[in-house]
Amino acid sequence: MKKSLPDFLHHPLAREISLAIVIKLLVIVALFYAFFDGRALHPDADAVAERLANPHQAIKP
Amino acid sequence: MLTEELVDLSRLQFAATALYHFLFVPLTLGLAFILVIMELTYVITDRPIYKDMTRFWGKLFGINFALGVTTGITMEFQFGTNWAYYSHYVGDIFGAPLAIEGLMAFFLESTFIGLFFFGWDRLNKWQHFMVTVLMAVGSNLSALWILIANGWMQDPVGAEFSFVTMRMEMTDFWAIVFNPTAQAKFVHTVSAGYVTASLFVLGISSYYLLKGRDLGFARRSFRIAAGFGFASALSVIVLGDESGYTVSESQQAKMAAIEAMWKTEPAPAAFTLFALPNEAAQRNDYELQIPYMLGLIGTRSVSETLPGIREIKEKNRARIESGMLAVVALEKIRKNRDDWDARSQFDLHKADLGFGLLLKKYTVDVSQATPEMIQQAVDSTIPRVAPLFWSFRLMVALGFAFLLLFSLALFYSIKGNFIEKKWLLRWALWFIPMPWIAAELGWVVAEYGRQPWTIYGVLPTHISVSNLTPANIYGSLAGFIGFYTVLLIVEMYLMTKYARQGPASLGTGKYHGEKAPSPSPIHSGGALPAGAPANRI
């Protein structure tokens, strides 16, 4: 099983660091997904013009 | 609805993640160069103890890097999720240095960090030393590009607004790169990182010296930290002064708020050492001043004046009134691009467009803004004085305390009797957290002082924020604070654990608490390899 791992993952420290980074990235992605999914805005020039004209507009579904 | 609560929450979320992120950054910036010094000494002298020093402090560097990496990513995501209008409005400019940082500096840094840890047995001494140098250069280049982006937020040069694309467009890349505000911030910030790392090494070395263990190892580490720390503490003060000078030129409202200068004083203005800023009455209570000092620092002259808050407000009132015309003209142009009257009106007033947009917080139709609304907008152009006044003074006081500490540490290092100065060692040990506090206060001054703008004088904060619900932010804010707190606890646990173990954690069998591999002599400063002459260690 270990032989199938890339070389650098044979080192215990490298495995720990890689695992820590992967876990952290997963937590960050999960947080963003949980609270911001479906809320993404893709403003174009017109959307920004509308925003500047009326910053208090209601949130679009 | 876009509410004040949403804006404040979005700001809080960004501030919280940025402040947490910057707990990890300064140590990385500074420790990398301390490793370069230690390894260079090893390469030149060939004494194994310097290799052990590089490896041990490198281990603490690695823990900090492994925990800190990815904490900055959340801020980049937030530009899209929480600050979508900001990202559209200035993404063409702001995105470029961030992308360069990721592609060039962070990849360089990460690659060479890998080689630093896993290359000891695969590279010769000089090759490994070059890896360490490139790792240090990479981490500092990361800071450079981030601070170029941040410097542009403070002083938006080399860009122009286009009413066609409704965004700022880059007109001069090199003006952005060599923006004096960004360059001054960069050197000041990395110097603060060097101070942080120097005090980290100095304090932990002092701990070993106080405990009477690993004396040779700790003595050498202490000396290197004292020398590097002295140069860094001196730099951070000189370069901080330069950074303050750029602020006095490009962000007069921030400077006036930092100094609690309510009205323009005759040149050269006095520096207020202590006062209780009274925002309601627009004056300072219990003021203690040093004559001429602020004028000299802020203008580098004895004849130039620094504008006070009242005068700045009057200037801003004129800009807001001019900006109202720009906003009205822009709205007409968006409806009809061939409205040449509106276009010439816009060209005349577009430099003040941002100031006109400040009124959008109070009214949808800025042409109908009442004098009360204009007054509210004028008042909003000055950040709150007391937090800036105190944050700045505490940061500066800590900066001078670091200089004093490192001066004494260097002085007694040269005299060779610092081990006997227990008070100095205790001071160094208990002062370890202070550079972090100073650095965080520096960011509070820089970013809180930028309000009410995300891009100074160009884009107000309340327009930059995404239309989310407060519930989105409350939930994610709680998640990020919880997650980052766990990382911080793990960092502190691992740092304490390995710092307490000391060089014994390298498992060489030569240091305090280790079983010697053979009856060879165990020296307090690291053991000799069998047969090695004593003066080689």
Side-chain angles (χ1 to χ4, degrees):
Chain A
M1 183 67 184
K2 271 190 181 175
K3 279 183 183 170
S4 63
L5 291 173
D7 272 0
F8 77 97
L9 286 179
H10 289 170
H11 195 295
L13 179 62
R15 271 204 302 278
E16 285 168 21
I17 291 174
S18 305
L19 188 64
I21 291 173
V22 167
I23 290 171
K24 284 197 294 180
L25 285 173
L26 285 175
V27 173
I28 289 168
V29 169
L31 281 168
F32 275 103
Y33 185 78
F35 294 103
F36 296 104
D37 182 44
R39 295 266 176 211
L41 297 171
H42 303 288
D44 54 18
D46 290 334
V48 173
E50 194 185 334
R51 164 68 159 203
L52 295 190
N54 182 11
H56 301 274
Q57 63 198 318
I59 300 164
K60 287 176 184 164
Chain B
M1 289 289 285
L2 181 66
T3 62
E4 194 79 358
E5 183 188 17
L6 178 63
V7 177
D8 288 346
L9 278 172
S10 293
R11 284 177 58 200
L12 179 62
Q13 176 153 320
F14 198 87
T17 45
L19 290 175
Y20 265 100
H21 176 58
F22 209 73
L23 291 173
F24 300 100
V25 174
L27 192 59
T28 301
L29 292 176
L31 209 43
F33 273 114
I34 291 181
L35 295 177
V36 168
I37 296 168
M38 289 172 174
E39 192 164 355
L40 179 63
T41 315
Y42 165 60
V43 166
I44 291 171
T45 64
D46 206 27
R47 294 181 181 177
I49 193 166
Y50 288 105
K51 183 181 180 184
D52 290 349
M53 282 161 62
T54 312
R55 288 184 62 206
F56 171 69
W57 295 111
K59 179 179 268 194
L60 299 188
F61 170 89
I63 291 167
N64 185 62
F65 180 82
L67 284 157
V69 71
T70 71
T71 57
I73 285 177
T74 52
M75 287 188 286
E76 302 206 14
F77 286 173
Q78 282 174 61
F79 289 127
T81 54
N82 300 43
W83 304 96
Y85 292 101
Y86 165 90
S87 296
H88 175 91
Y89 205 80
V90 299
D92 281 4
I93 302 124
F94 191 77
L98 287 191
I100 296 171
E101 188 268 338
L103 290 172
M104 198 176 92
F106 187 70
F107 282 180
L108 179 74
E109 179 188 3
S110 302
T111 304
F112 285 100
I113 281 176
L115 281 170
F116 174 85
F117 283 106
F118 304 111
W120 284 108
D121 301 326
R122 300 178 183 212
L123 303 167
N124 68 34
K125 280 197 304 190
W126 280 102
Q127 286 169 337
H128 194 277
F129 170 67
M130 284 315 297
V131 162
T132 312
V133 170
L134 288 168
M135 176 178 84
V137 170
S139 56
N140 281 259
L141 274 180
S142 284
L144 172 68
W145 289 105
I146 294 291
L147 289 165
I148 284 173
N150 181 266
W152 188 79
M153 293 171 75
Q154 314 283 346
D155 183 9
V157 294
E160 196 176 68
F161 177 76
S162 161
F163 63 78
V164 178
T165 55
M166 290 300 289
R167 64 206 302 175
M168 297 293 288
E169 291 177 352
M170 194 183 289
T171 56
D172 186 348
F173 176 73
W174 296 110
I176 295 167
V177 172
F178 293 109
N179 181 354
T181 304
Q183 295 299 328
K185 277 179 81 73
F186 167 65
V187 288
H188 179 55
T189 308
V190 295
S191 300
Y194 303 160
V195 170
T196 306
S198 301
L199 198 41
F200 179 78
V201 174
L202 195 81
I204 295 174
S205 303
S206 297
Y207 170 75
Y208 302 142
L209 295 172
L210 285 165
K211 292 276 177 191
R213 49 177 274 207
D214 298 318
L215 292 181
F217 182 96
R219 226 169 33 223
R220 287 170 175 85
S221 299
F222 187 98
R223 283 198 186 116
I224 288 173
F228 188 62
F230 175 73
S232 306
L234 206 55
S235 303
V236 88
I237 291 170
V238 173
L239 299 169
D241 169 60
E242 185 57 29
S243 188
Y245 179 64
T246 61
V247 167
S248 71
E249 287 197 321
S250 60
Q251 295 178 291
Q252 292 185 335
K254 184 195 276 185
M255 176 55 105
I258 287 171
E259 297 304 335
M261 203 161 75
W262 301 102
K263 59 180 180 8
T264 306
E265 305 285 347
F271 176 77
T272 305
L273 197 62
F274 176 88
L276 297 179
N278 185 335
E279 301 211 25
Q282 304 263 299
R283 63 177 162 78
N284 294 330
D285 299 328
Y286 308 106
E287 204 169 50
L288 178 65
Q289 292 189 315
I290 304 174
Y292 309 136
M293 197 171 154
L294 178 60
L296 294 172
I297 293 171
T299 66
R300 307 275 197 263
S301 83
V302 290
S303 55
E304 277 182 59
T305 53
L306 279 169
I309 287 171
R310 285 175 211 162
E311 287 69 25
I312 292 169
K313 278 188 179 179
E314 286 318 303
K315 275 189 206 164
N316 289 347
R317 182 190 303 281
R319 294 197 72 179
I320 286 168
E321 285 163 357
S322 164
M324 286 166 67
L325 301 174
V327 173
V328 172
L330 179 62
E331 287 175 1
K332 284 183 185 165
I333 296 169
R334 289 298 304 175
K335 284 178 190 151
N336 175 15
R337 282 193 196 167
D338 297 326
D339 185 340
W340 294 101
D341 284 344
R343 284 175 73 156
S344 60
Q345 179 82 341
F346 181 71
D347 283 341
L348 211 57
H349 297 281
K350 70 179 177 184
D352 298 321
L353 176 66
F355 283 84
L357 291 173
L358 286 171
L359 284 165
K360 287 285 183 180
K361 190 170 177 181
Y362 313 102
T363 176
V364 170
D365 184 358
V366 298
S367 67
Q368 301 299 315
T370 62
E372 289 75 27
M373 289 172 182
I374 293 173
Q375 185 59 45
Q376 280 182 301
V378 167
D379 290 341
S380 78
T381 58
I382 308 294
R384 281 188 59 208
V385 171
L388 288 175
F389 181 85
W390 286 113
S391 300
F392 178 76
R393 270 148 192 78
L394 196 49
M395 175 187 73
V396 171
L398 284 169
F400 279 101
F402 301 144
L403 183 62
L404 179 63
L405 172 61
F406 282 115
S407 302
L408 292 169
L410 185 62
F411 174 73
Y412 289 117
S413 291
I414 292 167
K415 280 188 79 178
N417 62 347
F418 61 92
I419 299 178
E420 298 155 23
K421 308 290 174 191
K422 303 292 181 201
W423 57 269
L424 181 67
L425 303 180
R426 284 195 199 96
W427 181 7
L429 175 61
W430 290 107
F431 234 51
I432 288 176
M434 294 305 165
W436 275 275
I437 293 172
E440 300 286 0
L441 288 169
W443 280 112
V444 169
V445 171
E447 303 308 307
Y448 191 80
R450 180 169 38 80
Q451 296 305 317
W453 308 99
T454 43
I455 303 296
Y456 201 83
V458 169
L459 186 66
T461 306
H462 69 94
I463 285 182
S464 313
V465 74
S466 302
N467 279 346
L468 298 163
T469 63
N472 294 132
I473 318 274
Y474 276 120
S476 53
L477 181 62
F480 286 128
I481 288 178
F483 173 54
Y484 279 30
T485 303
V486 169
L487 290 181
L488 191 61
I489 290 168
V490 173
E491 159 110 349
M492 292 182 75
Y493 167 75
L494 289 175
M495 282 291 190
T496 311
K497 178 182 165 187
Y498 285 104
R500 280 202 171 137
Q501 277 186 16
S505 65
L506 297 174
T508 57
K510 296 187 288 186
Y511 293 101
H512 173 81
E514 289 186 285
K515 282 183 183 170
S518 70
S520 63
I522 301 290
H523 286 242
S524 56
L528 295 170
N535 64 3
R536 300 292 293 164
I537 297 292

PDB file of all heavy atoms in Angstrom, chain A residues 14-25:
ATOM      1  N   ALA A  14       6.258  14.410   6.422  1.00  0.00           N
ATOM      2  CA  ALA A  14       5.603  14.861   5.186  1.00  0.00           C
ATOM      3  C   ALA A  14       4.145  14.413   5.173  1.00  0.00           C
ATOM      4  O   ALA A  14       3.247  15.151   4.746  1.00  0.00           O
ATOM      5  CB  ALA A  14       6.336  14.317   3.977  1.00  0.00           C
ATOM      6  N   ARG A  15       3.912  13.186   5.659  1.00  0.00           N
ATOM      7  CA  ARG A  15       2.527  12.682   5.709  1.00  0.00           C
ATOM      8  C   ARG A  15       1.682  13.536   6.643  1.00  0.00           C
ATOM      9  O   ARG A  15       0.555  13.905   6.329  1.00  0.00           O
ATOM     10  CB  ARG A  15       2.513  11.225   6.181  1.00  0.00           C
ATOM     11  CG  ARG A  15       2.647  10.213   5.055  1.00  0.00           C
ATOM     12  CD  ARG A  15       2.066   8.859   5.445  1.00  0.00           C
ATOM     13  NE  ARG A  15       2.692   8.299   6.628  1.00  0.00           N
ATOM     14  CZ  ARG A  15       3.847   7.629   6.608  1.00  0.00           C
ATOM     15  NH1 ARG A  15       4.488   7.446   5.468  1.00  0.00           N
ATOM     16  NH2 ARG A  15       4.351   7.137   7.710  1.00  0.00           N
ATOM     17  N   GLU A  16       2.272  13.850   7.819  1.00  0.00           N
ATOM     18  CA  GLU A  16       1.519  14.643   8.803  1.00  0.00           C
ATOM     19  C   GLU A  16       1.194  16.036   8.260  1.00  0.00           C
ATOM     20  O   GLU A  16       0.077  16.530   8.400  1.00  0.00           O
ATOM     21  CB  GLU A  16       2.320  14.771  10.108  1.00  0.00           C
ATOM     22  CG  GLU A  16       2.301  13.496  10.927  1.00  0.00           C
ATOM     23  CD  GLU A  16       3.321  13.517  12.048  1.00  0.00           C
ATOM     24  OE1 GLU A  16       3.752  14.606  12.442  1.00  0.00           O
ATOM     25  OE2 GLU A  16       3.693  12.426  12.522  1.00  0.00           O
ATOM     26  N   ILE A  17       2.204  16.664   7.637  1.00  0.00           N
ATOM     27  CA  ILE A  17       1.982  18.012   7.110  1.00  0.00           C
ATOM     28  C   ILE A  17       0.928  17.965   6.002  1.00  0.00           C
ATOM     29  O   ILE A  17       0.006  18.798   5.960  1.00  0.00           O
ATOM     30  CB  ILE A  17       3.308  18.617   6.575  1.00  0.00           C
ATOM     31  CG1 ILE A  17       4.255  18.900   7.740  1.00  0.00           C
ATOM     32  CG2 ILE A  17       3.054  19.901   5.792  1.00  0.00           C
ATOM     33  CD1 ILE A  17       5.643  19.356   7.327  1.00  0.00           C
ATOM     34  N   SER A  18       1.045  16.993   5.119  1.00  0.00           N
ATOM     35  CA  SER A  18       0.085  16.895   4.004  1.00  0.00           C
ATOM     36  C   SER A  18      -1.331  16.681   4.541  1.00  0.00           C
ATOM     37  O   SER A  18      -2.289  17.298   4.075  1.00  0.00           O
ATOM     38  CB  SER A  18       0.453  15.729   3.082  1.00  0.00           C
ATOM     39  OG  SER A  18       1.763  15.884   2.651  1.00  0.00           O
ATOM     40  N   LEU A  19      -1.423  15.805   5.528  1.00  0.00           N
ATOM     41  CA  LEU A  19      -2.737  15.524   6.100  1.00  0.00           C
ATOM     42  C   LEU A  19      -3.318  16.778   6.761  1.00  0.00           C
ATOM     43  O   LEU A  19      -4.496  17.110   6.587  1.00  0.00           O
ATOM     44  CB  LEU A  19      -2.607  14.392   7.134  1.00  0.00           C
ATOM     45  CG  LEU A  19      -3.909  13.843   7.696  1.00  0.00           C
ATOM     46  CD1 LEU A  19      -4.732  13.190   6.584  1.00  0.00           C
ATOM     47  CD2 LEU A  19      -3.656  12.826   8.805  1.00  0.00           C
ATOM     48  N   ALA A  20      -2.452  17.500   7.493  1.00  0.00           N
ATOM     49  CA  ALA A  20      -2.916  18.724   8.165  1.00  0.00           C
ATOM     50  C   ALA A  20      -3.424  19.729   7.138  1.00  0.00           C
ATOM     51  O   ALA A  20      -4.479  20.346   7.329  1.00  0.00           O
ATOM     52  CB  ALA A  20      -1.777  19.333   8.980  1.00  0.00           C
ATOM     53  N   ILE A  21      -2.693  19.870   6.047  1.00  0.00           N
ATOM     54  CA  ILE A  21      -3.095  20.856   5.028  1.00  0.00           C
ATOM     55  C   ILE A  21      -4.407  20.429   4.370  1.00  0.00           C
ATOM     56  O   ILE A  21      -5.310  21.252   4.158  1.00  0.00           O
ATOM     57  CB  ILE A  21      -1.965  21.056   3.989  1.00  0.00           C
ATOM     58  CG1 ILE A  21      -0.787  21.775   4.661  1.00  0.00           C
ATOM     59  CG2 ILE A  21      -2.455  21.856   2.788  1.00  0.00           C
ATOM     60  CD1 ILE A  21       0.452  21.901   3.815  1.00  0.00           C
ATOM     61  N   VAL A  22      -4.527  19.157   4.081  1.00  0.00           N
ATOM     62  CA  VAL A  22      -5.766  18.668   3.448  1.00  0.00           C
ATOM     63  C   VAL A  22      -6.959  18.883   4.375  1.00  0.00           C
ATOM     64  O   VAL A  22      -8.022  19.374   3.967  1.00  0.00           O
ATOM     65  CB  VAL A  22      -5.630  17.167   3.070  1.00  0.00           C
ATOM     66  CG1 VAL A  22      -6.977  16.567   2.707  1.00  0.00           C
ATOM     67  CG2 VAL A  22      -4.647  17.010   1.924  1.00  0.00           C
ATOM     68  N   ILE A  23      -6.779  18.559   5.669  1.00  0.00           N
ATOM     69  CA  ILE A  23      -7.887  18.744   6.626  1.00  0.00           C
ATOM     70  C   ILE A  23      -8.270  20.221   6.702  1.00  0.00           C
ATOM     71  O   ILE A  23      -9.454  20.582   6.680  1.00  0.00           O
ATOM     72  CB  ILE A  23      -7.491  18.213   8.030  1.00  0.00           C
ATOM     73  CG1 ILE A  23      -7.402  16.691   8.002  1.00  0.00           C
ATOM     74  CG2 ILE A  23      -8.504  18.651   9.083  1.00  0.00           C
ATOM     75  CD1 ILE A  23      -6.807  16.071   9.251  1.00  0.00           C
ATOM     76  N   LYS A  24      -7.265  21.075   6.763  1.00  0.00           N
ATOM     77  CA  LYS A  24      -7.556  22.505   6.866  1.00  0.00           C
ATOM     78  C   LYS A  24      -8.311  22.999   5.635  1.00  0.00           C
ATOM     79  O   LYS A  24      -9.281  23.757   5.747  1.00  0.00           O
ATOM     80  CB  LYS A  24      -6.249  23.291   7.031  1.00  0.00           C
ATOM     81  CG  LYS A  24      -5.692  23.175   8.427  1.00  0.00           C
ATOM     82  CD  LYS A  24      -4.667  24.228   8.714  1.00  0.00           C
ATOM     83  CE  LYS A  24      -3.436  24.060   7.874  1.00  0.00           C
ATOM     84  NZ  LYS A  24      -2.443  25.108   8.158  1.00  0.00           N
ATOM     85  N   LEU A  25      -7.848  22.564   4.469  1.00  0.00           N
ATOM     86  CA  LEU A  25      -8.532  22.997   3.245  1.00  0.00           C
ATOM     87  C   LEU A  25      -9.976  22.507   3.226  1.00  0.00           C
ATOM     88  O   LEU A  25     -10.890  23.234   2.838  1.00  0.00           O
ATOM     89  CB  LEU A  25      -7.784  22.494   2.000  1.00  0.00           C
ATOM     90  CG  LEU A  25      -6.490  23.256   1.688  1.00  0.00           C
ATOM     91  CD1 LEU A  25      -5.733  22.574   0.551  1.00  0.00           C
ATOM     92  CD2 LEU A  25      -6.772  24.698   1.309  1.00  0.00           C
TER      93      LEU A  25
END
